[in-house]
Amino acid sequence: NAGVMQNPRHLVRRRGQEARLRCSPMKGHSHVYWYRQLPEEGLKFMVYLQKENIIDESGMPKERFSAEFPKEGPSILRIQQVVRGDSAAYFCASSRTGGGSTDTQYFGPGTRLTVL
Amino acid sequence: DQQVKQNSPSLSVQEGRISILNCDYTNSMFDYFLWYKKYPAEGPTFLISISSIKDKNEDGRFTVFLNKSAKHLSLHIVPSQPGDSAVYFCASAAGYALNFGKGTSLLVTP
């Protein structure tokens, strides 16, 4: 009964490179959420996706960030032209149905992105 | 604009005693509250939740209390164990996105 899987666990990029973070939800879950945690901060909501659809990306920076959840395969969070301020822990969560107030979100171990 | 606030960054409790972690929120539209526990280099683990229609929810050693008029909730851990040492995040929901506090680091000493 695998939980939410994220890879890589650690990612180092130089400024200007691209970062691709992957998330496989729990079995039976079709709703995926991405959160970012900056040092000494709580987790901040970024984007909510269902299969092939972005439902809410209100927490995503307008530029350089994108997310997808294709019909087949994991959800991908992509950060283009990374800057030092992108260094953070990125967590993916999944739920069986949508709704933070109706269904528990289960989190993966996170990807720690370091931008040099 | 921090909608969920955990004003105590850290808490130290002796093993066997009660741990009380506090959380305040500002948005009265929040209708669901959760506590997550997080160990270093791991993701948050769901602990316990409470709906706004209740004022208490209990699960083993963990109890969450909700005071809607004060916009305040608390997590009680009784008895505290060394394995409970972790960062505890309070989160609220009004819809699907969770709003997290900054966390309280709990240390349970033998």
Side-chain angles (χ1 to χ4, degrees), chain A residues 22-86:
Chain A
R22 295 174 183 77
C23 169
S24 296
M26 285 179 68
K27 187 176 181 180
H29 287 193
S30 59
H31 299 256
V32 166
Y33 315 80
W34 285 92
Y35 291 82
R36 176 167 67 174
Q37 184 184 23
L38 295 170
E40 309 301 323
E41 296 289 323
L43 283 72
K44 302 287 187 191
F45 168 77
M46 298 181 75
V47 61
Y48 164 42
L49 310 103
Q50 294 180 30
K51 283 285 186 181
E52 301 186 276
N53 288 303
I54 297 175
I55 306 302
D56 183 353
E57 55 182 350
S58 60
M60 288 261 277
K62 298 300 180 195
E63 297 177 351
R64 304 186 297 107
F65 285 72
S66 62
E68 62 178 11
F69 189 15
K71 186 176 180 180
E72 301 290 338
S75 175
I76 306 287
L77 178 67
R78 181 185 300 155
I79 311 171
Q80 296 178 301
Q81 300 175 338
V82 296
V83 300
R84 289 214 174 104
D86 297 333

Side-chain angles (χ1 to χ4, degrees), chain A residues 9 33 35 37 40-45 48 55-56 91 98-110 112, chain B residues 1-2 31-32 34 36 38-46 49 89 93-103:
Chain A
R9 295 291 306 273
Y33 315 80
Y35 291 82
Q37 184 184 23
E40 309 301 323
E41 296 289 323
L43 283 72
K44 302 287 187 191
F45 168 77
Y48 164 42
I55 306 302
D56 183 353
F91 293 98
S101 56
T102 59
D103 194 15
T104 302
Q105 294 179 22
Y106 295 91
F107 284 80
R112 276 144 191 88
Chain B
D1 57 338
Q2 193 78 14
D31 59 359
Y32 198 66
L34 310 92
Y36 284 84
K38 186 180 180 302
Y39 293 116
E42 294 184 11
T45 302
F46 170 71
S49 62
F89 289 97
Y96 43 76
L98 297 179
N99 300 277
F100 283 86
K102 292 186 178 183

Side-chain angles (χ1 to χ4, degrees), chain B residues 14 16 30 33 43 52 58 60 79 103 108:
Chain B
Q14 205 166 17
F30 291 148
F33 303 89
S52 60
E58 195 171 352
V108 181

Side-chain angles (χ1 to χ4, degrees), chain B residues 42-95:
Chain B
E42 294 184 11
T45 302
F46 170 71
L47 206 53
I48 192 169
S49 62
I50 187 167
S51 166
S52 60
I53 62 174
K54 296 185 177 181
D55 54 20
K56 177 183 175 181
N57 190 26
E58 195 171 352
D59 183 2
R61 297 185 297 114
F62 302 92
T63 303
V64 56
F65 295 92
L66 175 63
N67 182 334
K68 289 186 289 293
S69 60
K71 296 192 180 71
H72 176 84
L73 65 156
S74 60
L75 175 68
H76 292 210
I77 307 173
V78 182
S80 300
Q81 300 173 354
D84 295 330
S85 297
V87 177
Y88 288 78
F89 289 97
C90 169
S92 64

